[in-house]
Amino acid sequence: MYINIVIYLVFFSSLAFIFYGVSVLSTDHMGQEFDRYGLSKFRMLTGALELLGGIGLCLGILYKPILSISSLGLCTLMLLGCGVRVRVRDPWYQLIPAFILMIINGYIFSYSLKYSVL
């Protein structure tokens, strides 16, 4: 049962990051958001890291080191995302998705260090 929960969290997080990574790379709305954050030069890097991290989570089910690297990277990315939201003074409820994904990926990372096999 415990393993199934982690697999569901991995798939949920990977789909969220793949979707969001594609959105960051391809939509005008996200370009405007990155301009608002003052981070437009990091937009493509952020989108690529989210996309690669999401794919890495899926591959990490088969190869644990990729799961560890991807989940730690995505957790860090969301920590930075929370910091940006605070810096631009967004309402607290806009911080919730990044915070939840940070917690989920932190949990996946800690699980990947504890257990060698999903």
Side-chain angles (χ1 to χ4, degrees):
M1 173 92 172
Y2 185 67
I3 292 172
N4 289 337
I5 291 170
V6 173
I7 290 174
Y8 289 132
L9 290 174
V10 166
F11 280 120
F12 169 76
S13 183
S14 67
L15 289 175
F17 278 105
I18 289 169
F19 174 79
Y20 196 71
V22 168
S23 175
V24 167
L25 292 171
S26 62
T27 65
D28 291 335
H29 171 71
M30 291 311 300
Q32 293 168 359
E33 284 292 292
F34 273 77
D35 288 343
R36 185 174 72 86
Y37 303 149
L39 298 171
S40 58
K41 65 182 177 182
F42 295 108
R43 176 183 172 200
M44 293 300 160
L45 175 63
T46 301
L49 290 173
E50 289 177 350
L51 194 56
L52 288 172
I55 293 167
L57 288 177
C58 290
L59 294 175
I61 291 173
L62 301 173
Y63 189 63
K64 187 182 82 97
I66 294 176
L67 182 67
S68 297
I69 292 165
S70 297
S71 59
L72 178 61
L74 291 171
C75 181
T76 304
L77 202 58
M78 291 300 96
L79 176 63
L80 294 170
C82 288
V84 167
R85 292 282 189 180
V86 169
R87 182 176 58 91
V88 299
R89 297 190 189 333
D90 279 347
W92 66 270
Y93 56 84
Q94 288 183 345
L95 189 121
I96 292 173
F99 183 77
I100 289 172
L101 285 168
M102 180 185 71
I103 296 299
I104 288 172
N105 281 282
Y107 179 75
I108 293 168
F109 176 69
S110 68
Y111 180 87
S112 73
L113 294 180
K114 271 187 196 176
Y115 303 99
S116 61
V117 179
L118 287 176

